[in-house]
Amino acid sequence: MQASLDNGLTYVASNANPFPTGLFAPPGAAGGLMTNIGQDVAFWGEKRKTPYAQRWSFGVQQELPQKFMIESSYVANRATKLGVNRQLNNTPAQYLSKSPVRDQTTINFLGANFPNPFFGLNPIFGANMTRGGLLRPYPQFGNVTLMADPIGYSWYHSMQTRIERRMANGWTVQGSYTWSKAMEATEFLNSVDAMPSEVVSAIDRTHRLTSSGIWEIPFGRGRKFASSMHRAVDFAVGGWQLGGLYQHQTGAPLGFGNRIFNGDLGNIVLPKGTRGVDGWFNLNAGFERNAALQLGSNLRQFPIRFNGVRGPTQDRWDFSLIKNFRITERWNAQFRAETFNAMNHPNLSDPNTDPTSSAFGTITGQDSPRSWQMSLKVTF
């Protein structure tokens, strides 16, 4: 639908008649061998498969004194037949470089220009085409992508521990700790590879700790202190509830792209006390920083992500103060005052991981600083 042809000064379409010029019929293969010539092509498999997940767990619980309960579980899952976009129109692997350093000979060989055999068939074609383009199985097209090829998979294992004190005497508290590992094979290291690469998942967080609690402040009618105060006073100062939430989790695994690395991978990570926004990891661990010496026309060997190289951890405290008002039998109201990241802890973004960038290894962003919000909800 194109509602206006002059940026909203006048409208040629309306809700009553959204397509005043009619609909274009899908061309299909009406162009014969010229259909989509010179363009990128994407298609879905004729017999698509539905992904599925298997989950299993085993846990034990124990009731403790003072209404506490502790639980520890092994929780895991495996997802199969995940859709992965596969690029079919690749320069064959035998022509790509396997050199660990920039192979300018191969780059020049595949980048050399030749007369384009398709020139004149369609205005989209130029007069020349590179050798790398001519060697592709379908040189008359751009990228040819098989969408959601069901060859991907992922798996997850975790130990999940929880302690909880059920609500009684006006307060409840709970805490949980998860130690986990998430892996996946949902992207290709090289587009010519037969299967996606097995690598630590981008969503993997090795350690995650959360705790929360609610305390009904014992002041007001029906509570421990000032239980007989006047209803008008209780309406304003009695019956408040204080809540808190703490969250901590490990940083995300980092990747650096298709890079040259001449060093010890163990030297990338800096000691905890020396990391900062101006240098989160060791910039001189062995990365090739010169943009003119980067890899090209090669078979990638450098992993997609590293389990041992992580971004900053995340820590935050959130608090809430809540008051419920009973106005009449039918009308009720709730006031909430909430603060997020109450300690104003700088939850930093991931560092720049491009070795050719002047900002390599630095952090230039962060999560939201401390914020407040207040709301009043009326129900009837």
Side-chain angles (χ1 to χ4, degrees):
M1 177 180 175
Q2 190 171 14
S4 175
L5 301 176
D6 52 14
N7 295 320
L9 294 177
T10 58
Y11 289 90
V12 297
S14 65
N15 288 336
N17 185 17
F19 304 105
T21 59
L23 296 173
F24 291 108
L33 294 178
M34 296 295 290
T35 302
N36 293 328
I37 195 77
Q39 302 176 41
D40 292 341
V41 178
F43 67 98
W44 301 84
E46 185 177 355
K47 296 182 179 179
R48 297 172 59 187
K49 297 180 180 179
T50 302
Y52 65 91
Q54 299 163 289
R55 301 182 178 90
W56 58 96
S57 64
F58 171 80
V60 292
Q61 286 185 352
Q62 175 65 48
E63 186 175 2
L64 303 175
Q66 301 298 318
K67 303 185 185 303
F68 279 91
M69 182 276 294
I70 189 169
E71 176 185 43
S72 186
S73 303
Y74 162 67
V75 180
N77 67 61
R78 182 178 178 86
T80 308
K81 301 188 187 304
L82 299 178
V84 180
N85 293 342
R86 182 193 287 276
Q87 171 57 240
L88 302 179
N89 206 16
N90 306 297
T91 301
Q94 64 263 33
Y95 297 106
L96 301 177
S97 175
K98 297 180 181 178
S99 171
V101 296
R102 183 179 178 87
D103 186 347
Q104 194 61 50
T105 301
T106 299
I107 294 173
N108 292 340
F109 176 79
L110 294 176
N113 281 314
F114 293 87
N116 189 341
F118 309 108
F119 181 65
L121 294 179
N122 190 296
I124 199 170
F125 288 114
N128 297 310
M129 181 179 286
T130 65
R131 179 184 275 118
L134 288 168
L135 288 172
R136 297 193 300 179
Y138 311 105
Q140 70 273 30
F141 295 108
N143 292 329
V144 178
T145 307
L146 171 58
M147 304 294 291
D149 191 10
I151 58 173
Y153 52 95
S154 67
W155 65 101
Y156 170 83
H157 298 278
S158 69
M159 180 194 74
Q160 300 181 10
T161 303
R162 178 170 65 97
I163 186 169
E164 176 183 291
R165 198 261 188 188
R166 294 180 175 86
M167 174 65 84
N169 306 115
W171 66 279
T172 180
V173 66
Q174 61 181 0
S176 65
Y177 167 69
T178 300
W179 177 38
S180 64
K181 184 67 172 292
M183 298 285 292
E184 64 183 19
T186 58
E187 54 187 312
F188 291 98
L189 192 62
N190 297 284
S191 59
V192 297
D193 292 344
M195 292 294 290
S197 176
E198 293 186 351
V199 66
V200 62
S201 174
I203 64 172
D204 179 73
R205 303 293 185 272
T206 306
H207 304 286
R208 178 168 172 81
L209 174 68
T210 64
S211 61
S212 63
I214 297 173
W215 178 41
E216 293 182 341
I217 300 174
F219 185 83
R221 293 182 66 86
R223 298 193 176 182
K224 185 175 182 179
F225 301 106
S227 60
S228 59
M229 69 167 52
H230 193 276
R231 288 184 179 276
V233 179
D234 181 71
F235 187 84
V237 301
W240 289 91
Q241 182 184 90
L242 180 66
L245 171 66
Y246 171 70
Q247 301 177 71
H248 166 87
Q249 69 179 19
T250 305
L254 300 179
F256 299 89
N258 184 21
R259 303 300 178 185
I260 298 173
F261 184 81
N262 300 309
D264 184 348
L265 293 174
N267 291 333
I268 297 177
V269 179
L270 289 173
K272 187 174 181 180
T274 61
R275 301 173 204 163
V277 295
D278 295 323
W280 187 253
F281 44 76
N282 185 3
L283 308 185
N284 301 311
F287 290 99
E288 177 56 67
R289 303 285 306 275
N290 190 337
L293 298 179
Q294 298 304 305
L295 296 170
S297 300
N298 71 298
L299 287 171
R300 177 176 174 176
Q301 304 294 327
F302 208 56
I304 296 173
R305 280 180 292 275
F306 291 91
N307 179 56
V309 185
R310 300 265 175 171
T313 58
Q314 304 292 304
D315 290 274
R316 60 182 292 162
W317 283 93
D318 301 331
F319 292 103
S320 64
L321 189 63
I322 303 172
K323 163 72 174 174
N324 292 306
F325 302 88
R326 187 177 181 86
I327 303 172
T328 67
E329 184 71 22
R330 181 182 177 188
W331 290 76
N332 294 277
Q334 182 187 76
F335 172 77
R336 300 177 67 96
E338 298 171 295
T339 177
F340 304 100
N341 192 13
M343 305 304 178
N344 210 25
H345 180 79
N347 289 305
L348 303 174
S349 304
D350 287 338
N352 184 300
T353 56
D354 180 1
T356 66
S357 171
S358 60
F360 181 53
T362 65
I363 298 175
T364 57
Q366 67 175 33
D367 198 0
S368 301
R370 181 194 298 122
S371 63
W372 295 80
Q373 74 175 25
M374 290 179 285
S375 63
L376 180 65
K377 180 176 68 174
V378 178
T379 58
F380 56 91

